[in-house]
């Protein structure tokens, strides 16, 4: 089987050196992504590592078709750079889905190209055939699954679970049998017919569609992270088949970090990955609104407030904790929030920000937004650090956050979010919540916090409402 790169051992020394440098940069870059202060630098370092790996592959004696690769690089750059530059922060999950899916698709196509180039795998060693076919199946599942995830998040497909019921499970089993069966036939040399390979591609494609279509749009960030891990594993498998060490290392890093991230997100929502894959949570109406409000007192009422009253409450506080959520991201209110915090600090108020691990729609969403508005990093407090501070907080200002503050997660065993760790804002002396209506958040359930007697609601768009409060604070 021809390889895109010769074995690592046979590479010239300077190419080996470049690869080792790139691996070191990947790993160092990744280690820098653990905190907002170093994350941007970490991203650049890892990107430099990838550039070096690409250059090393091109300089390798067996690099192959330079012109074709140059055309691929140009097309990728023309599509990728403007897309990444123009994407809104709230649309980042679907962009990651698309880029990730393309990686899986590339792996499947490489496998197919190798199969065609060799006229079947009858004469190829099993050590190459098995990872090639594994990469092909997983890469194809990841490509098609990621396209569905993209379409759901972009609202090109309905966000609700789409399922064929029990038939779908039977079909999935059948498709798996076809994919594995055709792989065995090819691997054992029983067939060299291209139709068998196409059967693998088609059955894996349908498996990818059937895997993601039944999952509600709201669970897509976790699914994308899972598919990301799949793509990493398929790329690593292709690296083994092509004897390309760089692809093995990069693929394994993506596979491992995607798996860890998926687990962390599931743990932060107190849900298991099988429960997420089974669908039916926050899928656009699958959980009845009010479903988590079983603990609401009879005739519970909501108290609304005005920007002027909120300004007085905030200005005379000693400590204010700002709790940002998805609504802050949608409204792009981060700069307005920073401005309000500056005004309060001028008056001697201590301002901190409480960051829940899954506030927003992707991990680190709030950190990125607040960093963009130059919020000092030492004011950003992780959930475990800020929760003990709420009992000595005068005002918790909740801006476009909902589920991550819902006390039902601690108190209502019937609630779908029971057990999810939350920001315990209800322990503050008073709470002001900015949102547009009483609509539920991601999980589709009521929030007991809004009916608490120490809570007042300021209804409006986050950016506008925060701006109004700032104006009132300045006028005091
Ligand atoms: P949330 O529970 O989805 O609530 C967001 C709230 O923002 C909504 O109730 C909405 O109420 C309000 N809102 C929307 N647009 C607004 C605007 N322009 N101005 C003001 N308010 C606005 O958000 P969250 O508290 O951040 O919780 C995140 C949820 O996402 C969790 O359930 C988490 O499990 C889930 N999730 C997160 C991740 C992740 O990695 N971060 C991944 C998967 C799932 P109105 O419509 O009334 O304004």
């Amino acid at each position: 089987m021809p390889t895109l790169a010769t074995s690592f051992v046979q590479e010239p020394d300077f190419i080996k050196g470049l690869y080792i440098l790139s691996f070191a940069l990947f790993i160092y870059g990744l280690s820098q992504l653990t905190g907002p202060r170093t994350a941007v630098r970490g991203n650049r370092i890892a990107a430099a590592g990838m550039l070096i790996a690409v250059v090393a592959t091109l300089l390798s004696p067996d690099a192959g078709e330079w012109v074709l690769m140059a055309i691929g690089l140009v097309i990728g750059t023309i599509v990728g750079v403007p897309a990444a530059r123009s994407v809104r922060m709230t649309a980042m999950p679907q962009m990651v889905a698309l880029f990730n899916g393309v990686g899986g698709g590339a792996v499947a196509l490489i496998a197919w190209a190798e199969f065609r180039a060799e006229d079947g795998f009858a004469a190829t060693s099993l050590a190459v055939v098995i990872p090639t076919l594994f990469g092909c199946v997983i890469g194809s599942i990841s490509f098609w699954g990621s396209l569905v995830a993209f379409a759901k998040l972009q609202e090109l497909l309905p966000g609700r679970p789409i399922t064929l019921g029990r038939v779908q499970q039977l079909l999935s089993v059948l498709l798996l049998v076809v994919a594995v069966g055709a792989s065995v036939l090819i691997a054992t040399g029983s067939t060299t017919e291209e139709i068998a390979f196409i059967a693998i591609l088609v059955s894996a494609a349908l498996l990818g569609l059937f895997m993601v279509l039944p999952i509600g749009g709201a669970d897509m960030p976790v699914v994308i992270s899972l598919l990301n891990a799949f793509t990493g594993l398929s790329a690593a498998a292709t690296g083994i088949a092509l004897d390309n060490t760089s692809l093995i290392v990069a693929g394994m890093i993506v596979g491992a970090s995607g798996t860890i991230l998926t687990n962390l997100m599931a743990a932060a929502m107190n849900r298991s990955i099988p429960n997420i894959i089974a669908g039916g949570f926050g899928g656009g109406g699958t959980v009845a609104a009010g479903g988590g409000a079983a603990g609401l007192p009879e005739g519970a009422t909501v108290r609304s407030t005005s920007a002027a009253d909120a300004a007085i409450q905030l200005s005379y506080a000693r400590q204010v904790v700002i709790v940002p959520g998805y609504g802050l991201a949608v409204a792009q209110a981060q700069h307005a929030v920073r401005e309000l915090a500056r005004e309060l600090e001028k008056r001697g108020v201590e301002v901190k920000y409480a960051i829940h691990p899954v506030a927003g729609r992707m991990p680190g969403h709030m950190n990125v937004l607040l960093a963009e508005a130059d919020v000092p990093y030492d004011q950003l407090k992780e959930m475990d650090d800020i929760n003990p501070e709420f009992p000595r907080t005068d005002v918790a200002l909740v801006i476009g956050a909902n589920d991550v503050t819902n006390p039902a997660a601690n108190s209502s065993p019937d609630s779908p979010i029971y057990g999810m760790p939350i920001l315990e804002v209800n322990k503050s002396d008073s709470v002001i919540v900015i949102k547009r209506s009483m609509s539920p958040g991601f999980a589709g359930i009521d929030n007991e916090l809004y009916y608490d007697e120490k809570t007042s609601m300021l209804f409006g768009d986050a950016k506008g409402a925060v701006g109004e409060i700032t104006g009132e604070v300045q006028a005091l």
Side-chain angles (χ1 to χ4, degrees):
M1 181 176 190
T3 56
L4 286 183
T6 48
S7 161
F8 187 71
V9 184
Q10 296 155 12
E11 294 283 10
D13 284 347
F14 83 99
I15 301 267
K16 276 188 216 162
L18 287 179
Y19 276 140
I20 291 171
L21 178 64
S22 72
F23 307 154
L25 292 176
F26 291 160
I27 292 164
Y28 182 63
L30 203 58
S31 73
Q32 300 288 292
L33 295 182
T34 49
R37 207 182 289 271
T38 52
V40 174
R41 193 175 59 211
N43 210 8
R44 288 192 183 132
I45 290 171
M50 186 51 83
L51 183 66
I52 292 171
V54 170
V55 170
T57 305
L58 294 178
L59 292 179
S60 169
D62 271 4
E65 300 272 358
W66 265 81
V67 177
L68 274 181
M69 284 190 282
I71 293 174
L73 279 176
V74 169
I75 295 176
T77 310
I78 289 174
V79 176
V81 172
R85 283 198 164 274
S86 61
V87 69
R88 284 175 295 115
M89 272 307 292
T90 44
M92 201 58 101
Q94 48 266 52
M95 197 193 76
V96 173
L98 208 54
F99 282 5
N100 166 55
V102 173
V107 166
L109 289 179
I110 290 172
W112 191 17
E114 293 296 343
F115 183 81
R116 294 185 59 138
E118 291 294 291
D119 278 335
F121 285 158
T124 312
S125 104
L126 274 184
V128 170
V129 175
I130 291 173
T132 305
L133 293 173
F134 174 83
C136 174
V137 173
I138 301 294
S140 185
I141 290 177
S142 181
F143 175 69
W144 291 99
S146 298
L147 283 193
V148 176
F150 169 81
K152 286 201 173 203
L153 286 174
Q154 199 65 22
E155 294 177 2
L156 301 174
L157 277 177
R160 65 183 157 72
I162 302 171
T163 158
L164 302 174
R166 281 192 68 78
V167 183
Q168 182 157 327
Q169 287 170 2
L170 283 175
L171 271 176
S172 297
V173 173
L174 194 68
L175 289 166
L176 195 63
V177 170
V178 171
V180 174
S183 301
V184 171
L185 287 180
I186 289 174
T188 53
S190 309
T191 179
T192 53
E193 293 295 328
E194 207 170 336
I195 190 79
F197 207 95
I198 292 173
I200 299 180
L201 287 175
V202 172
S203 52
L206 290 172
L207 264 176
L209 298 180
F210 284 171
M211 180 181 141
V212 182
L213 279 171
I215 302 175
D219 272 337
M220 282 307 134
V222 188
V223 174
I224 288 165
S225 170
L226 189 64
L227 292 172
N228 198 24
F230 280 14
T231 296
L233 288 180
S234 64
T238 305
I240 294 171
L242 297 178
D243 216 352
N244 185 322
T245 318
S246 159
L247 206 49
I248 299 173
V249 173
M252 286 314 293
I253 291 176
V254 173
S257 51
T259 308
I260 293 169
L261 184 61
T262 310
N263 277 318
L264 285 176
M265 283 162 87
M269 295 194 281
N270 194 38
R271 300 181 59 208
S272 68
I273 293 171
N275 170 273
I276 291 167
I277 300 292
F281 178 81
T286 50
V287 177
L296 286 185
E298 196 67 26
T301 52
V302 165
R303 196 153 58 95
S304 68
T305 188
S306 64
D309 286 346
I312 293 170
Q313 230 179 317
L314 291 165
S315 298
Y316 293 101
R318 270 171 297 123
Q319 172 161 291
V320 168
V321 175
I322 296 178
V323 180
Y326 178 66
L328 180 140
V330 175
Q332 286 292 295
Q334 62 275 27
H335 295 283
V337 168
R338 175 72 181 119
E339 190 51 37
L340 172 61
R342 277 204 191 97
E343 286 301 324
L344 294 176
E345 281 163 348
K346 273 190 213 161
R347 293 167 179 269
V349 180
E350 185 161 4
V351 179
K352 292 174 181 164
Y353 298 79
I355 309 296
H356 190 282
V358 292
R361 289 295 180 268
M362 59 186 175
H365 202 165
M366 298 300 118
N367 297 74
V368 174
L369 279 178
L370 296 173
E372 192 188 307
D374 290 330
V375 170
Y377 291 127
D378 54 6
Q379 291 183 2
L380 303 180
K381 305 289 178 196
E382 300 292 330
M383 180 169 63
D384 292 340
D385 297 328
I386 199 73
N387 268 345
E389 292 218 27
F390 280 118
R392 47 177 185 275
T393 296
D394 303 294
V395 188
L397 178 61
V398 180
I399 307 175
N402 190 341
D403 298 337
V404 297
T405 63
N406 193 339
N410 285 338
S411 61
S412 303
D414 296 340
S415 171
I417 61 166
Y418 183 65
M420 168 172 152
I422 54 154
L423 293 166
E424 295 167 349
V425 292
N426 55 328
K427 294 191 175 161
S428 317
D429 286 352
S430 61
V431 183
I432 301 173
V433 177
I434 300 178
K435 70 198 289 288
R436 297 163 306 175
S437 65
M438 290 299 286
S439 299
F442 170 92
I445 55 173
D446 268 340
N447 191 340
E448 292 174 13
L449 177 73
Y450 306 157
Y451 304 88
D452 192 314
E453 56 187 21
K454 59 183 165 190
T455 300
S456 29
M457 309 289 296
L458 179 54
F459 291 111
D461 172 72
K463 191 171 171 183
V466 171
E468 273 181 53
I469 299 178
T470 309
E472 297 288 346
V473 172
Q474 286 164 338
L476 281 175

